[in-house]
Amino acid sequence: MTGYINSIETMGLVDGPGIRMVVFMKGCPLRCLFCHNPETWTMAEAKEITSDEIVKDLANNATYYDNGGVTFSGGEPLMQPEFLLECLKKIKEIGIHTAIDTSGVGVGLYKEILEYTDLVILDIKAITEADYEKMTGHKIDTFNEFVKVLNESGKKVWLRQVVVPTINDNPEYMHDLKEYIKQIKNVEKVELLPYHLYGVDKYKELNIPYPLEGIPPMNETKLDELERILKEE
């Protein structure tokens, strides 16, 4: 089976535990205001690859991934569920740790995919229906459906939240976020990621209006203060 990918990183250090191969897949239904990878939204200019090619690369470099593994990211990996499932099955057969970095918005096969997934890195976009739709251009229902299946799976979860100045960079949001994540089971880690401007040039190259024009990058000191609020008992 062939999958459509944007790129593969062979020495990833921030997309799960240890050293990881990170497969950035094409296709995403969301249009997050802070997205810095607009080139992954569609299948345009995708590289086609088979599951056997991915598994072969992993097997040939298995010593690098002994304490790490492979992470499927995007774009949105759940938008290619059959290919993702086939990859995960074959990777588990050779004993390598698997993770998916996902917004939780896909087109099905969630239960089957999670059966072969060791870790889910779940991106929180917003925590109310109205704010979620404003942030992503998508209703929150599909995300909620994925969280329900995720909770039933018992899989380990890391949560990530991008913090954007003037939108969610305030103590009130952090208190609400702390309450919100109580509905998600088996959470091992919660990470606040600072909004940055790394993707601005990509929008210009693709001739797409940048949705957060004029918003400055997130102040790291303020981010640390918000993280303390999130973590306090």
Side-chain angles (χ1 to χ4, degrees):
M1 184 179 295
T2 299
Y4 300 91
I5 67 165
N6 185 62
S7 62
I8 293 179
E9 181 179 350
T10 57
M11 296 291 283
L13 298 173
V14 296
D15 297 285
I19 298 173
R20 309 189 71 80
M21 174 188 282
V22 186
V23 182
F24 294 94
M25 299 175 68
K26 279 277 201 171
C28 183
L30 305 185
R31 295 295 179 266
C32 300
L33 298 181
F34 54 76
C35 180
H36 61 276
N37 290 320
E39 73 278 11
T40 67
W41 290 349
T42 72
M43 298 297 179
E45 299 182 3
K47 301 173 184 177
E48 294 188 41
I49 193 169
T50 66
S51 58
D52 286 337
E53 289 176 275
I54 291 176
V55 174
K56 182 180 179 180
D57 284 347
L58 283 167
N60 288 343
N61 298 282
T63 54
Y64 288 112
Y65 306 118
D66 279 348
N67 296 310
V70 59
T71 300
F72 290 89
S73 186
E76 173 50 64
L78 295 178
M79 292 303 291
Q80 298 185 57
E82 292 87 0
F83 176 72
L84 176 60
L85 179 59
E86 183 173 285
C87 288
L88 292 169
K89 284 182 176 180
K90 292 180 178 179
I91 292 166
K92 292 313 297 176
E93 287 177 0
I94 61 174
I96 290 178
H97 183 277
T98 58
I100 58 172
D101 183 352
T102 176
S103 65
V105 178
V107 289
L109 292 182
Y110 299 153
K111 183 177 180 180
E112 293 85 351
I113 287 167
L114 290 173
E115 183 179 348
Y116 298 94
T117 302
D118 296 307
L119 172 68
V120 175
I121 304 171
L122 182 62
D123 302 320
I124 304 294
K125 306 299 184 180
I127 58 179
T128 68
E129 291 186 22
D131 287 346
Y132 187 94
E133 188 164 1
K134 187 185 301 182
M135 181 65 78
T136 69
H138 199 283
K139 293 189 180 298
I140 201 171
D141 302 18
T142 308
F143 173 82
N144 289 339
E145 177 189 348
F146 178 78
V147 170
K148 181 177 183 294
V149 180
L150 176 59
N151 282 341
E152 292 170 351
S153 75
K155 298 297 181 175
K156 296 177 181 178
V157 179
W158 290 6
L159 298 178
R160 287 177 170 172
Q161 167 75 72
V162 175
V163 182
V164 185
T166 75
I167 293 179
N168 58 7
D169 65 331
N170 57 77
E172 293 76 18
Y173 185 86
M174 290 302 124
H175 287 297
D176 291 342
L177 178 61
K178 187 190 303 186
E179 288 301 309
Y180 179 82
I181 62 180
K182 290 179 180 178
Q183 69 174 306
I184 302 173
K185 299 179 180 179
N186 301 309
V187 175
E188 292 190 335
K189 181 191 296 188
V190 181
E191 297 177 290
L192 298 183
L193 305 181
Y195 166 73
H196 54 69
L197 304 179
Y198 301 156
V200 173
D201 288 341
K202 295 180 182 179
Y203 283 79
K204 292 178 181 177
E205 291 172 8
L206 295 168
N207 198 28
I208 302 172
Y210 189 66
L212 294 180
E213 189 70 45
I215 300 295
M218 185 64 203
N219 180 277
E220 294 283 354
T221 300
K222 186 173 184 181
L223 187 73
D224 290 341
E225 294 171 357
L226 296 173
E227 191 166 31
R228 282 194 288 273
I229 294 171
L230 185 64
K231 292 181 177 180
E232 67 188 10
E233 296 297 330

